[in-house]
Amino acid sequence: MVQTNRNQQERKWAISALSNKIQNCLYAGKPLSLVSMTRRFALFAALAMLTAALSGCVSSVSEIVNSIQETQKSEETPYIETYSFENFFSGGWEGGVGEGTFPVKQLKPERILVEMNYSDQLPIDGNLYIRIYAPDGAKYESEKDGGSYEKIELTDRAMLERSTGDWDVYMRVAGPVARTSYVITAKVFYEDYHESRIYSEQESAAETGAPKFVDLRGKSHVVVAVIDSGINAYHEIFRRPGMTMHPSEYIEGFPKSARALDLTFSGTYEECRKTDEKLWNGIGVGELCTIPGTNIIGAICIDQRADPPEESSIIDEGSHGTATSSLIARNCPDALIVMVQWKYGTLGSAVKWAAEQPWIDILSVSMGYPANLPPIYDSSWKEIMAAQETEKLIFFAAGNDPTLSITDPFSGPPCVISIGGVENDTHGETLMASKIVDFVSEFTTSVAKHNDRKGEYVGSGTSFACPIAAGTAAQILLNVRRTANYTGIIKEGSLVVGAGEGVLSDGKVTNGEFRDLLNRTAVYWNTTDYGTYGIGVGSIPYGVNAPILPTPWIQMGWGYLNSEIVESATCVALGKAQPPEKLLASEYMSAMQTIRTAYWQIVGITG
């Protein structure tokens, strides 16, 4: 178990004592067991900036992964949307009938099943079949086996998450067919680990023209602050028509003075911006606002605007903030988002503001300097180190260069959960992502556009891996809070207060306990997996990557952290499952944390 050291006195250790401690770890004159040898090699690897595999340290990673994957399944059923197309074909040799479209929504789709039953056909093989087109033009067809039943089933979740939008459905003819009636049914399966289904309820209400008011008083919640370039509040991924209640009515400590921005949600992005221009321009620097009808409960511009003076605060003019925020919403649809816009001052000021808000649970930050420059170039690490006292979960993108993240003034401090990058399409490590990290997540993914109400684009970077990991943690935390019926905020050093099994056995969940839960339930990939996952039409890995070694913790830290682990992690958290200990991984990661803590204690003394 790795826990952040919070003792003020220990942070004032003498530099010589810290150096002796590291040297003792390296040169202790003891017989080398496999575990102690792993620890010693880990220390050498960190100090020498090596990421080579550790000799003789192959753990049974497959057993750990299999155990987690075989944990007890949630009793909740997936959220399914069904669309039916009934028609009549008058007969012919070839051609087709366009049946229309069905949507795949931004609710973590996990499977598409399109089926067709038909009758009255001539007994000739391969007559009727179905074809569907993804939004990017990728084509999928049924088997044309000549029976009276055809189907297409797609289960590549990475592809589906990148392919949200309208899918086209066609009935096709490949031979002589008489008068034929047929029914095509399209089912889209979505993950559903949360009880309220706020997103789907709101979307359904919006489609019927009658938004259903959502009363969040007395409900469990999780608040994620995204420190970034701003946000496109008009994008549909943030839209929650029934969430019009002021956050101060259901979140303890949320300022009643926060101004509600009643935005326009009809028309194009440009039309909405033009209609609301005076509203945006009237926002003062440092003024906290809330946006009814969305899950953006807070938005604030921390520092003074620069030229051009007409640039509005909060609005995202550069795409980055909207992209990262959309990944929080996608991986935890019920998360309540706070955009902390940071542009011109030091990042520390934004971190300080977020840390001082007791109603914020998680920070997700995807900003930093190239090459992970040491802390002499930016003092923001001081505010980041101070933020650990609030017990919030602090996620930082590790960086997009193959240097060590532990010296970075943002992702380096030991209280930070640093996120590196991997390519889910190939199950490979992204070579350009920074090294020595806590976890990894998708380097390449689809994100929301900053100047459109529905559009997306594919982007790459640990900037996107970070909010995926933070959103995953938010969903797990929300699940635990709901189980404990905890509707409050972080109190007395605990993320959750309530009786239960598993992590709740002592009546509370601390920051360290929750991080340990993530450590134990994140999964490792196998070397033999490389290049065999998700390869298909429209599925192209954007980052140059390499196979995962038999010692995956060197490349993946504690493992892969994304929505795929939510169910198993929740089961472990609630005492329904127990994954095997990651013995060698724990030794390696503990050694990394020792080096990391020692380095930042030295920085704290000298800086």
Side-chain angles (χ1 to χ4, degrees):
M1 178 174 179
V2 176
Q3 290 186 336
T4 302
N5 187 345
R6 295 177 175 81
N7 188 290
Q8 293 289 343
Q9 184 61 37
E10 289 182 344
R11 284 204 295 268
K12 297 180 180 179
W13 286 348
I15 295 177
S16 59
L18 294 172
S19 300
N20 289 337
K21 183 176 180 180
I22 296 175
Q23 291 176 13
N24 288 338
C25 289
L26 286 169
Y27 301 111
K30 300 178 182 179
L32 288 179
S33 65
L34 178 60
V35 172
S36 63
M37 184 167 61
T38 303
R39 182 179 181 85
R40 185 173 296 187
F41 270 81
L43 290 163
F44 272 122
L47 294 175
M49 297 186 179
L50 298 177
T51 56
L54 302 182
S55 175
C57 296
V58 180
S59 177
S60 183
V61 176
S62 61
E63 292 181 7
I64 298 173
V65 175
N66 291 338
S67 175
I68 293 176
Q69 292 176 341
E70 292 172 4
T71 54
Q72 180 177 348
K73 296 295 182 180
S74 170
E75 295 179 358
E76 297 182 25
T77 57
Y79 173 56
I80 305 172
E81 292 194 341
T82 303
Y83 307 87
S84 294
F85 309 92
E86 298 184 29
N87 216 322
F88 180 83
F89 186 68
S90 60
W93 280 89
E94 59 185 53
V97 178
E99 298 301 341
T101 62
F102 66 91
V104 174
K105 301 175 182 178
Q106 295 170 334
L107 287 170
K108 295 187 287 185
E110 60 182 11
R111 182 161 69 107
I112 290 178
L113 177 62
V114 183
E115 303 170 287
M116 179 171 68
N117 287 287
Y118 54 97
S119 60
D120 303 327
Q121 67 172 71
L122 289 176
I124 299 178
D125 290 344
N127 290 326
L128 271 65
Y129 63 100
I130 44 179
R131 177 185 296 172
I132 59 176
Y133 289 91
D136 63 0
K139 179 178 70 176
Y140 305 89
E141 295 180 342
S142 59
E143 295 295 331
K144 313 176 194 175
D145 59 8
S148 60
Y149 171 76
E150 297 283 334
K151 79 169 183 177
I152 302 172
E153 186 171 16
L154 305 177
T155 58
D156 182 348
R157 295 172 65 170
M159 179 275 291
L160 293 176
E161 288 187 3
R162 291 195 303 270
S163 302
T164 55
D166 289 336
W167 288 60
D168 295 319
V169 183
Y170 286 83
M171 187 280 295
R172 304 292 299 174
V173 182
V177 175
R179 299 168 63 86
T180 300
S181 61
Y182 58 91
V183 177
I184 297 177
T185 301
K187 294 182 179 180
V188 186
F189 297 75
Y190 299 94
E191 283 186 2
D192 188 25
Y193 301 116
H194 45 284
E195 300 168 356
S196 66
R197 296 187 176 97
I198 289 178
Y199 183 86
S200 54
E201 288 179 2
Q202 294 308 304
E203 190 175 56
S204 176
E207 290 172 353
T208 62
K212 181 180 178 182
F213 174 73
V214 176
D215 189 349
L216 293 176
R217 289 174 294 187
K219 301 288 182 64
S220 301
H221 61 269
V222 62
V223 179
V224 182
V226 180
I227 300 177
D228 217 304
S229 62
I231 195 166
N232 170 15
Y234 299 107
H235 200 284
E236 65 176 7
I237 198 167
F238 308 116
R239 187 78 168 109
R240 308 289 189 274
M243 288 180 59
T244 56
M245 180 180 289
H246 196 278
S248 62
E249 296 187 50
Y250 58 89
I251 299 177
E252 181 182 348
F254 190 95
K256 294 181 180 180
S257 59
R259 180 155 62 104
L261 303 178
D262 293 318
L263 301 182
T264 303
F265 291 104
S266 59
T268 65
Y269 171 81
E270 290 77 12
E271 291 169 344
C272 291
R273 278 286 304 271
K274 185 175 181 180
T275 301
D276 298 332
E277 184 176 1
K278 290 183 179 180
L279 194 62
W280 288 117
N281 290 337
I283 300 172
V285 173
E287 179 185 6
L288 178 64
C289 297
T290 182
I291 305 178
T294 74
N295 63 348
I296 306 168
I297 65 160
I300 184 171
C301 180
I302 288 298
D303 35 38
Q304 296 293 325
R305 302 181 203 174
D307 293 333
E310 66 270 12
E311 184 176 344
S312 299
S313 62
I314 300 176
I315 289 180
D316 184 14
E317 304 290 358
S319 79
H320 199 269
T322 299
T324 55
S325 299
S326 70
L327 293 172
I328 297 292
R330 180 175 300 162
N331 287 274
C332 184
D334 288 353
L336 305 176
I337 295 174
V338 178
M339 169 50 62
V340 184
Q341 188 183 49
W342 166 69
K343 288 186 176 183
Y344 312 114
T346 64
L347 181 63
S349 60
V351 172
K352 184 175 184 292
W353 182 89
E356 290 175 346
Q357 312 311 308
W359 42 273
I360 290 176
D361 302 301
I362 298 173
L363 275 65
S364 178
V365 191
S366 296
M367 313 290 270
Y369 293 117
N372 287 334
L373 295 175
I376 59 173
Y377 294 95
D378 194 299
S379 63
S380 295
W381 59 270
K382 295 180 180 179
E383 286 81 7
I384 295 171
M385 295 280 280
Q388 69 180 317
E389 305 298 336
T390 67
E391 298 294 332
K392 302 182 194 301
L393 298 168
I394 306 172
F395 289 80
F396 267 81
N400 301 327
D401 46 75
T403 57
L404 297 186
S405 68
I406 60 175
T407 61
D408 183 75
F410 302 150
S411 62
C415 61
V416 167
I417 302 173
S418 62
I419 308 298
V422 290
E423 294 294 345
N424 193 39
D425 280 345
T426 59
H427 274 204
E429 176 199 19
T430 306
L431 296 181
M432 289 305 297
S434 295
K435 310 307 176 187
I436 312 293
V437 296
D438 291 305
F439 299 94
V440 293
S441 198
E442 288 96 325
F443 189 82
T444 301
T445 189
S446 178
V447 294
K449 288 185 176 180
H450 74 290
N451 56 0
D452 193 272
R453 294 199 61 201
K454 294 185 177 181
E456 296 188 353
Y457 68 96
V458 176
S460 296
T462 58
S463 285
F464 305 139
C466 178
I468 292 173
T472 299
Q475 186 62 68
I476 298 169
L477 177 59
L478 185 57
N479 290 349
V480 176
R481 283 182 169 178
R482 283 174 171 158
T483 300
N485 195 29
Y486 183 66
T487 61
I489 60 177
I490 298 175
K491 286 187 177 180
E492 298 177 358
S494 298
L495 297 167
V496 187
V497 177
E501 303 291 332
V503 293
L504 291 168
S505 60
D506 61 352
K508 64 183 188 309
V509 181
T510 66
N511 178 295
E513 289 171 336
F514 192 84
R515 287 188 65 166
D516 183 58
L517 171 68
L518 298 180
N519 296 347
R520 292 187 294 133
T521 54
V523 297
Y524 288 126
W525 293 340
N526 296 315
T527 304
T528 54
D529 294 339
Y530 183 68
T532 62
Y533 279 75
I535 300 300
V537 177
S539 179
I540 303 174
Y542 281 70
V544 178
N545 55 91
I548 299 300
L549 299 170
T551 50
W553 44 87
I554 296 175
Q555 297 160 286
M556 302 179 73
W558 285 107
Y560 182 55
L561 188 60
N562 88 331
S563 59
E564 294 177 13
I565 78 158
V566 168
E567 186 173 5
S568 59
T570 301
C571 287
V572 171
L574 302 181
K576 297 180 180 180
Q578 182 67 38
E581 294 294 331
K582 300 177 178 178
L583 296 178
L584 295 178
S586 294
E587 284 297 315
Y588 175 83
M589 294 303 293
S590 294
M592 293 301 99
Q593 195 74 348
T594 297
I595 296 295
R596 191 176 177 184
T597 301
Y599 174 83
W600 283 99
Q601 287 170 343
I602 293 172
V603 171
I605 295 171
T606 60

